[in-house]
Structures are given as C-alpha cells and as structure tokens.
C-alpha cells in the first residue's frame, strides 16, 4: 500500500497524538479476512494519493494490532476514523462507494480552487507570470467571488498588460477585502496605466494621424504597444497590415512574435490564430 502509514503500538503516540496536531490523521481499520475493509482501504489510498499535505492516511491491521482497535472501540469493519489533536473528529463505518468517500473527504480536503491558488502564488513567487496565468484563471472560473483569487488574478492581469481587466476586477473587490494587498495592486495599476501611454507612444500616434498609411510607423507603434502589454492594439494594427498585404513578412513576423509572448490560455492567442488561419485558407 503506497501513500499510507501502518499504525503500530510503537508509533501510535507519535502519529495519533503528535502528528494530528499538525494535520488531520485518517485511521483506516481493516483486516485481510474482511474483503470490504480491504476494498475501502484501497479506495482511500487512491482518493488521498495527492493530499498527503492535508491528511495523513494511516492503516490499522486489526489482525495484528487488535489492541489499537480496542482502544478506539471498533466494533465492526470496515471503520474509518478521522483524528485531529488526538481526538476523533469524524468517521465512516461499513462498505462505501466512491461517491460517499468523496463526499466525506470533501469536507476536509482543500477545494480545487485552493490548490490552484497555491500553485499560482508559487509560480508568481518564482516570477513565472505566464505559467501562473492559466492556473489562476482556472481558479477564478471555479470561484469568481473570492477576493483572494481576484487579487492574484488582478496581479497577473497587471503584469501581462490587461489593464482594463485588472481595473474591472479590482473594482469588484468589496470594501471589507480592500487590504494592503489590494492597495498595493491599485498603486501598481496606476503606474501600469501611466506606462501604457508613454511619450514615445503618444508621439507615434500623433505621427500616424498625419501619415496614416505609413507602414513603418504602424509597425513601430505596434512594437511599442507590445512592450507596454497593450497587445490587443498591437495585434489589431499588425493583422490589418498582413490582411492588406500577404507579402508583408515583417508585419507577420512581428504579429507572431507578439502572440508567442502571450501566456497560455490568453484569449488573444486563439483569436488571432483563427484570423490568420482564415487569411491562409
């Protein structure tokens, strides 16, 4: 049995008393001569395979550890007892389906969005913003009301240039959740907004107003937009250039470079790849 710890009289004190102070401990009482208990043991092994940080899965072989079963007053198998701080917290008795097991564990295991949120925070700590984007987006799709998820997504939005999306998300944060992290993101949003409209960009925009058909100016402006993460505007310019002249390889290469710079899951990638496909076929 992998992902489980066999409980004996020797390790009982350490695991059941001490370890249960740090995490939940699930004791599964089983015996080889009772197939239902073996089946439940194996189901729990699979169900808890990826949750060792949350629940320590332990097994008690009642054939060899009858004294421990007596201490818990076990009267029949299979029996499962969840322990916290050395005290029984919850339990199951009798054969169980996958559904009843999941329902039982679901009360104590972290939700999928919690796991995704933790993964996104780890990736951001390593400055892997592109990798964090699809992870925190999925967490938000699972729960679009939680402020902690919104704040991390807003952070990713700001770092990937989605200023409008970040602003809308931060506006939805309730007053009670507007903590120091929120205030920090609001300040970063303001800086990002200012950077997105730099003097260089303003100058190029003014030149294009006087010379709107200048391809070089359009490419330069698209490049500037891309550098400050105004990617939708950059891609709009470049796609129009490619649409007008299929032989304009410079604009096409620049457009593909912008797409490559976007994180996985960014809607702009699929949007403009479809547009390019339409042009080609």
């Amino acid at each position: 049995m992998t992902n489980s710890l066999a409980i004996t009289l020797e390790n009982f004190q350490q695991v059941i008393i001490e370890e249960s102070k740090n995490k939940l401990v699930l004791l599964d009482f089983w015996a080889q001569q009772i197939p239902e208990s073996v089946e439940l043991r194996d189901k729990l092994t699979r169900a808890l395979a990826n949750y060792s940080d949350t629940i320590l899965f332990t097994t008690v072989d009642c054939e060899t550890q009858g004294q421990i079963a007596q201490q818990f007053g076990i009267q029949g198998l299979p029996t499962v007892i969840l322990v916290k701080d050395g005290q029984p917290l919850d339990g199951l008795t009798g054969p169980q389906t996958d559904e009843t097991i999941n329902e039982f564990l679901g009360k104590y295991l972290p939700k999928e969005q919690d796991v995704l949120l933790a993964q996104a925070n780890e990736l951001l700590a390593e400055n892997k913003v592109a990798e964090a984007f699809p992870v925190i987006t999925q967490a938000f799709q699972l729960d679009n009301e939680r402020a902690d998820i919104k704040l991390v997504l807003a952070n990713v939005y700001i770092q990937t240039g989605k200023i409008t999306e970040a602003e809308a998300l931060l506006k939805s944060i309730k007053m009670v959740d507007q903590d120091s992290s929120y205030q920090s993101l609001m300040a970063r949003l303001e800086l990002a907004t200012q950077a997105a409209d730099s003097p260089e960009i303003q100058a190029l925009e003014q030149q294009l107003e006087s010379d709107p058909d200048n391809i070089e100016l359009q490419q330069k402006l698209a490049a500037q937009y891309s550098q400050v993460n105004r990617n939708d505007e950059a891609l709009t310019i470049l796609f129009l250039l490619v649409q007008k002249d299929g032989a304009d390889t410079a604009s096409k290469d620049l457009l593909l470079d912008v797409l490559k710079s976007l994180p996985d899951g960014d809607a702009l990638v699929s949007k403009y790849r479809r547009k390019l496909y339409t042009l080609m076929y």
Side-chain angles (χ1 to χ4, degrees), residues 4-267:
S4 63
L5 174 66
I7 297 298
T8 65
L9 289 174
E10 288 71 25
N11 65 10
F12 180 89
Q13 177 75 21
Q14 173 61 33
V15 176
I16 305 305
I17 305 301
E18 299 301 327
E19 288 291 333
S20 69
K21 294 178 181 178
N22 302 317
K23 66 172 69 173
L24 294 170
V25 175
L26 187 68
L27 288 94
D28 174 45
F29 295 86
W30 71 285
Q32 192 65 49
Q33 71 267 30
I34 302 180
E36 295 86 354
S37 71
V38 176
E39 181 182 7
L40 180 56
R41 179 201 68 188
D42 294 343
K43 285 182 177 180
L44 288 169
T45 299
R46 292 191 293 270
L48 291 168
N50 298 319
Y51 295 101
S52 59
D53 291 340
T54 304
I55 295 181
L56 175 60
F57 179 45
T58 67
T59 59
V60 179
D61 184 348
C62 294
E63 293 182 22
T64 59
Q65 305 298 327
Q67 188 173 343
I68 296 175
Q70 290 176 5
Q71 289 184 31
F72 279 91
I74 302 302
Q75 297 180 350
L77 299 179
T79 294
V80 174
I81 296 178
L82 191 66
V83 176
K84 177 62 177 172
D85 296 325
Q87 299 297 319
L89 178 65
D90 202 348
L92 292 171
T93 58
Q96 303 293 324
T97 65
D98 290 335
E99 289 74 18
T100 58
I101 290 172
N102 291 334
E103 182 179 355
F104 172 75
L105 295 176
K107 296 184 288 184
Y108 305 102
L109 292 175
K111 295 180 173 61
E112 184 179 357
Q113 52 265 40
D114 292 319
V115 176
L116 292 167
L117 177 61
Q119 291 176 354
N121 278 322
E122 289 177 6
L123 290 168
L124 288 175
E126 298 172 5
N127 201 32
K128 297 179 179 178
V129 181
E131 290 90 337
F133 182 90
V135 177
I136 193 59
T137 299
Q138 186 179 352
F140 181 70
Q141 290 170 346
L142 290 170
D143 190 339
N144 60 11
E145 294 296 329
R146 280 178 47 177
D148 53 351
I149 294 176
K150 287 183 180 182
L151 290 171
V152 175
L153 181 56
N155 180 9
V156 171
Y157 277 159
I158 291 171
Q159 294 194 57
T160 54
K162 296 183 177 296
I163 306 303
T164 302
E165 292 89 337
E167 184 177 10
L169 202 57
L170 289 172
K171 282 183 179 179
S172 73
I173 301 291
K174 297 177 181 178
M175 185 73 70
V176 68
D177 296 315
Q178 294 181 9
D179 56 10
S180 58
S181 296
Y182 168 85
Q183 300 299 336
S184 175
L185 286 173
M186 288 298 293
R188 290 176 58 189
L189 178 64
E190 178 63 26
L191 291 173
T193 301
Q194 294 175 7
D197 196 24
S198 66
E200 291 81 5
I201 288 177
Q202 293 180 30
L204 284 170
E205 289 173 338
Q206 290 174 3
Q207 292 177 55
L208 267 176
E209 286 182 7
S210 303
D211 190 5
D213 295 324
N214 190 311
I215 294 176
E216 184 179 356
L217 281 176
Q218 292 181 67
Q219 292 171 340
K220 286 182 178 180
L221 180 58
Q224 286 290 323
Y225 280 156
S226 177
Q227 288 179 18
V228 295
N229 290 313
R230 292 172 63 176
N231 294 303
D232 198 0
E233 292 164 282
L235 290 167
T236 298
I237 292 173
L238 294 170
F239 179 76
L240 288 174
L241 290 175
V242 174
Q243 191 176 39
K244 289 178 181 177
D245 183 3
D248 185 356
T249 56
S251 295
K252 184 176 181 180
D253 288 344
L254 187 53
L255 186 151
L256 292 174
D257 286 341
V258 174
L259 290 177
K260 290 176 184 176
S261 72
L262 298 176
D264 291 340
D266 194 311

